Amino acid sequence: EELGYEPVFYEERGKSADKDNTLNRPEMNRLLAECEAGRVSDIFVTELDRFTRRVELILEIDKMFQKNRIRIHAASTILDLTDSDSRFYTLLQSLLGERENRVKTERSIRGMTQAVKQKNLWVGVFVPYGYKKVDKCLAIDEEESKIYLDMVALSLKGIGSATIANRFNELNIPTRARKVLKNGINPVNPKTGLSRHIPS
């Protein structure tokens, strides 16, 4: 408002910027459509990695942002793809962010895999669907395993995951999150200190 802009908010709750490809981010698609139409001049985000950590997406929007002279403002920097230094810095930052996330994921998977191999211990919060924890060890959950096998059978018939999910929701079969987090979660925004309730 201080800059004389009319702000429009795009909020994609629960989406991970490290796995985006514009196909799984409807709000990103809506924003990019406005950019393509030339109705956006500046985008404001808390940090660049909240916009995307994928180099592929930066490269995908590169020409469009240059053509329409769209800048991305973050708390620590301004991305202007028409500036060669800024473009280089952003691509490098995206590569480093992508690598950091991949290393963390691989390390976490490796740790859990080792724990399971050694004593069948499960160290994660959510156990795989179809299993339960008994004395910190994985054991087959007979009730869930039947549901899991039904999911597999439907998938092998060519039925999509969204349709399968809707079918089991209609049958009121709880998800893993709903079972573990019965009251939902209350994440706290580190910048504002405010929390919001997300039901399971």
Side-chain angles (χ1 to χ4, degrees):
E1 291 173 349
E2 288 175 5
L3 294 170
Y5 292 125
E6 181 182 345
V8 178
F9 296 92
Y10 296 82
E11 189 169 9
E12 207 138 41
R13 293 172 186 251
K15 300 295 181 182
S16 174
D18 65 294
K19 295 179 181 176
D20 61 27
N21 56 18
T22 72
L23 294 176
N24 64 353
R25 293 182 68 184
E27 286 295 282
M28 175 67 83
N29 278 324
R30 190 163 73 91
L31 172 58
L32 293 180
E34 292 294 295
C35 292
E36 183 71 53
R39 290 191 285 267
V40 175
S41 61
D42 295 80
I43 298 170
F44 295 83
V45 292
T46 51
E47 291 297 339
L48 284 178
D49 65 2
R50 303 312 306 150
F51 184 71
T52 182
R53 292 180 189 160
R54 299 295 297 273
V55 176
E56 293 94 331
L57 182 56
I58 293 291
L59 293 173
E60 189 179 319
I61 66 175
D62 188 12
K63 288 183 180 177
M64 176 178 46
F65 275 41
Q66 286 196 54
K67 175 186 171 185
N68 294 314
R69 303 191 71 82
I70 298 169
R71 296 179 301 176
I72 302 177
H73 301 253
S76 56
T77 187
I78 298 175
L79 164 60
D80 181 354
L81 291 172
T82 61
D83 179 80
S84 57
D85 286 341
S86 177
R87 183 176 181 275
F88 171 76
Y89 169 76
T90 303
L91 289 170
L92 181 61
Q93 192 178 42
S94 297
L95 278 170
L96 291 172
E98 211 174 80
R99 178 188 177 277
E100 180 186 7
N101 191 70
R102 193 179 297 118
V103 167
K104 283 182 180 177
T105 301
E106 289 172 355
R107 191 176 295 150
S108 176
I109 291 172
R110 194 162 54 244
M112 287 189 286
T113 302
Q114 283 300 110
V116 172
K117 281 181 177 178
Q118 287 172 5
K119 293 185 179 178
N120 203 34
L121 294 176
W122 184 257
V123 294
V125 176
F126 295 106
V127 300
Y129 200 87
Y131 291 87
K132 60 186 176 182
K133 261 199 292 195
V134 179
D135 296 328
K136 297 184 180 180
C137 295
L138 287 178
I140 291 174
D141 184 312
E142 298 297 338
E143 182 183 340
E144 278 192 5
S145 66
K146 291 175 184 175
I147 298 168
Y148 170 74
L149 291 173
D150 287 342
M151 290 180 190
V152 173
L154 291 170
S155 181
L156 290 173
K157 288 179 182 177
I159 298 173
S161 58
T163 304
I164 293 173
N166 289 335
R167 184 174 299 189
F168 284 99
N169 283 335
E170 288 170 4
L171 294 171
N172 204 29
I173 294 172
T175 61
R176 166 66 69 236
R178 200 190 304 171
K179 277 189 170 186
V180 176
L181 306 170
K182 291 183 172 60
N183 298 318
I185 57 173
N186 297 285
V188 177
N189 186 316
K191 294 189 180 295
T192 64
L194 299 175
S195 66
R196 60 188 176 89
H197 180 69
I198 301 176
S200 297

